[in-house]
Amino acid sequence: MKNLILSAVIMSFVLVSCNQKKQEETINTTTNTTEKVTVKVNPNSFSINEIVSDYLSLKNALAKDNSNATADAGKAMVETLGKIDMKKLSGEQMKNYMDIADDVKEHATHIGDNAGNIAHQREHFVLLSKDINDLIKIFGTDQKLYQDFCPMADEGKGAIWISEVKEIKNPYFGSEMLTCGSVRKEF
């Protein structure tokens, strides 16, 4: 009896999965442990566009050396994260999202709480940018974006950031070295 019920559940899952296949996009990404993760995303059900929008506001404020606007954007990002409807995510998608979103929230909170301390905000922006990059790789975005790189950021280790324009406007150094960096790839 248990085998019959289990078979029916598996068959239902397969049928539902096959029917949804037309609406899903498979995205492959690599985690820190070089483990390949494949996540199926239904573009009509879950979006990180608001998170990306808040990130871009934060990035632009840093590029303008505006610590107060950077803090406001960090607070807006924390608020946006609190409104995300995760009911639309499968178990694997939710795990991937939560792993990254928890870090995003932590860094956005630090950035939001440190108006007047742009150096500290930029330290957290290094890690926030990696997390946003990962979210985009996993969940995609409706917007054309660029992954930029500054070799001098993060104490000379180099760091990425995401931008909505091809023109380099460096958030790590702002007016000090606004055009330092290069476009690495396009999303």
Side-chain angles (χ1 to χ4, degrees):
M1 184 67 174
K2 286 182 183 177
N3 288 339
L4 184 59
I5 293 171
L6 182 57
S7 294
V9 168
I10 291 172
M11 199 61 158
S12 297
F13 177 74
V14 168
L15 289 173
V16 168
S17 295
C18 289
N19 288 336
Q20 290 179 350
K21 196 170 194 170
K22 293 176 188 170
Q23 299 173 350
E24 295 176 338
E25 176 183 345
T26 301
I27 298 171
N28 294 317
T29 188
T30 306
T31 63
N32 293 348
T33 60
T34 66
E35 169 188 336
K36 190 173 181 182
V37 178
T38 301
V39 181
K40 292 187 185 264
V41 179
N42 181 339
N44 298 321
S45 66
F46 182 77
S47 172
I48 61 163
N49 291 340
E50 234 183 304
I51 297 169
V52 171
S53 178
D54 289 339
Y55 170 85
L56 293 172
S57 295
L58 195 152
K59 182 263 310 173
N60 290 332
L62 282 173
K64 293 177 183 173
D65 299 322
N66 189 333
S67 181
N68 290 328
T70 300
D72 291 343
K75 290 173 185 175
M77 184 178 281
V78 170
E79 188 176 317
T80 297
L81 288 165
K83 293 189 249 178
I84 295 293
D85 182 10
M86 292 179 288
K87 294 176 191 164
K88 298 175 182 178
L89 296 173
S90 71
E92 184 67 21
Q93 290 171 330
M94 186 174 293
K95 180 188 178 316
N96 286 322
Y97 174 78
M98 291 301 297
D99 286 348
I100 298 168
D102 286 345
D103 289 341
V104 168
K105 185 175 182 179
E106 178 183 341
H107 299 302
T109 299
H110 276 275
I111 290 167
D113 290 345
N114 280 281
N117 188 352
I118 202 160
H120 187 70
Q121 290 173 321
R122 286 179 168 144
E123 287 172 14
H124 282 278
F125 186 72
V126 170
L127 300 169
L128 177 65
S129 293
K130 290 177 188 175
D131 293 331
I132 295 298
N133 186 68
D134 290 344
L135 281 176
I136 292 168
K137 283 198 292 190
I138 294 171
F139 295 103
T141 181
D142 296 336
Q143 187 174 0
K144 180 182 264 190
L145 298 170
Y146 303 91
Q147 182 194 77
D148 297 337
F149 179 76
C150 175
M152 297 176 65
D154 196 20
E155 299 177 0
K157 296 177 211 157
I160 63 163
W161 76 90
I162 307 302
S163 182
E164 72 282 18
V165 294
K166 249 186 177 177
E167 181 184 354
I168 297 295
K169 293 187 179 178
N170 191 319
Y172 295 114
F173 291 100
S175 62
E176 186 180 337
M177 289 191 285
L178 189 60
T179 60
C180 175
S182 62
V183 175
R184 275 206 164 159
K185 69 180 178 180
E186 188 177 305
F187 291 102

